[in-house]
Amino acid sequence: LPSAIAMLLCGAVLAALAWRVTKLQVAAFATFAAWVLLPHPDPSFDVGRLGYLDALMLLWCALALYAAWRWQEAWSRRWAVACGVAIGLALATKFTALFVLIGIPLLVIRRSDAAARRRYGQLAVLSGVALVVALVPWLLLGRDVPHALRFALSMQLRDVRQTIIVAGHTYEDGAPIWTQLWWQWDAWPAFALTQLTGIVVAWWAL
């Protein structure tokens, strides 16, 4: 149940982001419908139906993306702090959130106007807040921090090194970086192509 609720909330946040970016209600409805109704390309790993941390991590990531967009709209320090908190919570939930959120600084770097360049200070604040929030759960462990870190890293490495079959090929050292894209393309080619087109358009629109 917690995973399902987190995934529904994640869809709602993404829908709010779609409306904020496009100002079109149909974009928000389409985003939420696609998030909720489209089947997962790998039914054995549907994080909305299983008790994984990925569902909560995705919710924090979606909130971070929404806060990042609001931040770059008006360069409000409040939204920069909110984005930092969401990033920190995502990282505290699962290390792999780093790969989802690493593109947020591009909102500043990609913009070439003078107003954006003056906001590197807020980017530093955002990063500092994210680091503090991410470290708080570890610091609460006290003397057990080294053991907990070793355990978490060993679990991540175990997952990375597992054998997996992707596109008919067996990979002994874990899935290649393009695995999720391949699964989406294999299940819904048109939707995967739409995603790629949206990413390119959004990049050039910023």
Side-chain angles (χ1 to χ4, degrees), residues 5-205:
I5 293 174
M7 294 299 282
L8 286 174
L9 291 176
C10 183
V13 174
L14 292 176
L17 178 60
W19 179 85
R20 193 78 193 180
V21 173
T22 64
K23 305 301 182 184
L24 297 174
Q25 290 185 351
V26 65
F29 287 123
T31 299
F32 186 77
W35 181 262
V36 174
L37 299 178
L38 287 180
H40 194 279
D42 182 10
S44 65
F45 189 69
D46 188 346
V47 296
R49 296 178 178 272
L50 302 173
Y52 291 122
L53 290 174
D54 300 70
L56 188 58
M57 179 197 73
L58 289 173
L59 173 59
W60 297 129
C61 287
L63 287 169
L65 291 173
Y66 180 83
W69 186 265
R70 294 297 303 271
W71 170 49
Q72 65 86 38
E73 284 183 332
W75 300 117
S76 167
R77 183 172 297 180
R78 179 185 64 180
W79 282 109
V81 171
C83 183
V85 171
I87 291 176
L89 290 171
L91 291 173
T93 303
K94 198 167 184 181
F95 292 150
T96 48
L98 178 64
F99 297 100
V100 179
L101 302 169
I102 199 170
I104 285 181
L106 294 177
L107 288 171
V108 175
I109 298 171
R110 182 69 176 85
R111 295 277 294 273
S112 59
D113 55 280
R117 289 195 295 269
R118 290 196 297 267
R119 303 309 179 186
Y120 282 110
Q122 289 189 4
L123 180 60
V125 171
L126 184 157
S127 303
V129 170
L131 181 62
V132 170
V133 173
L135 289 177
V136 165
W138 296 98
L139 296 177
L140 293 177
L141 295 175
R143 297 179 180 179
D144 294 329
V145 169
H147 173 72
L149 282 173
R150 285 195 299 270
F151 176 78
L153 290 174
S154 66
M155 293 296 290
Q156 293 290 331
L157 290 175
R158 187 195 69 176
D159 292 340
V160 168
R161 292 172 180 170
Q162 66 182 352
T163 300
I164 190 169
I165 299 175
V166 182
H169 298 280
T170 301
Y171 295 87
E172 299 292 342
D173 296 324
I177 194 172
W178 45 268
T179 298
Q180 291 289 340
L181 180 59
W182 167 257
W183 281 342
Q184 289 188 6
W185 182 266
D186 188 48
W188 293 86
F191 185 65
L193 185 61
T194 302
Q195 282 183 308
L196 290 176
T197 304
I199 291 172
V200 173
V201 171
W203 170 258
W204 289 109

